[in-house]
Every structure is written in C-alpha cells, then in structure tokens.
Amino acid sequence: MTDAPQIDHGEIARQNDEFRRSYGQSRRIRGRIMMTPGIADFDAITMQRIQSEIVLFDNFSADNDPYAEHDFGAFTIKVDGEDTIIWFKIDLYDRQYAAGSEKPDDPAQTRRVMTILLPSEY
C-alpha cells in the first residue's frame, strides 16, 4: 500500500497569495480569473474596488481557511449604498484544467482558477 504524497499547505498558501496579489498576472503562478454573472454585472468602479479588496485581502482564519491554503476569502463592499458580500475561491487544477492537480504545491504542474462570486450564486 502506498502512502499519499505529502502536500505542503504552506507552499500552496504562498503560491495562492502570489496569484491573488498579482490578480492572476504572476509569471510563475499561472491561472485564470473567472467571475459569475452577478459580479460581471457590476460597473467598472465597483469591479476595481472588488479587485483591490482581493489583492489586499489578508483576513484568513481557521474559520475561513481550515487547511491554511489561503484559497477562500469573503469581504463586504458598498454597492449602490447597500452592503454586498463578495466571495473569491481559488481551485487547483492540472495544466489542462481538466482535473485536480496531482501535485498542487508544484507550480509547474498546477494551474489556478480564482472564481469571484456573490454568495447567492454558490
């Protein structure tokens, strides 16, 4: 019986942070940014505020980050005077985006997809 490979969750967190802080523009940590229709409907200024919140996000805790991989965040912004909760989630795929990465802590074998969404779209 073979043991499952050890995954370096700290390394995944560092890579997720680099991907998120660069808003998908890191040359080392590759991936895509996707958004749901509810997010895509916001105006350009709101989209800039959402991007800024994601890039600067650092409110990771045991409640929202149980594996310490920095792969989920939630924050609130004002949209048309109303508090609006925004989520982002980073998932790790193989290089073809066909399945989960077999070595998620290896950036050469892993591609990220960060989805930005409203909780109601989950």
Side-chain angles (χ1 to χ4, degrees):
M1 185 172 196
T2 28
D3 293 326
Q6 293 296 317
I7 296 172
D8 185 344
H9 296 283
E11 182 58 26
I12 291 172
R14 284 185 289 281
Q15 292 174 26
N16 283 344
D17 285 343
E18 181 177 335
F19 181 74
R20 179 181 48 76
R21 289 178 183 143
S22 73
Y23 204 68
Q25 299 302 307
S26 169
R27 290 180 184 227
R28 189 175 80 89
I29 309 300
R30 296 192 211 145
R32 301 175 179 166
I33 296 180
M34 310 295 287
M35 61 187 74
T36 58
I39 297 294
D41 282 345
F42 289 136
D43 61 74
I45 292 171
T46 301
M47 292 301 297
Q48 287 176 340
R49 289 187 2 242
I50 290 170
Q51 180 178 346
S52 179
E53 289 286 338
I54 290 170
V55 167
L56 298 173
F57 187 86
D58 68 353
N59 191 22
F60 297 104
S61 68
D63 290 334
N64 68 13
D65 193 25
Y67 298 104
E69 293 182 344
H70 295 189
D71 61 351
F72 174 84
F75 55 89
T76 302
I77 62 170
K78 291 273 188 201
V79 178
D80 297 326
E82 304 254 344
D83 284 343
T84 303
I85 298 171
I86 308 293
W87 287 355
F88 66 86
K89 174 73 174 97
I90 300 173
D91 294 299
L92 309 177
Y93 291 91
D94 63 17
R95 287 182 288 192
Q96 292 75 33
Y97 297 94
S101 177
E102 290 185 15
K103 186 105 173 76
D105 52 357
D106 180 356
Q109 297 182 45
T110 303
R111 299 296 178 263
R112 283 161 171 73
V113 174
M114 179 167 55
T115 304
I116 308 165
L117 64 153
L118 298 169
S120 62
E121 296 176 299
Y122 180 72

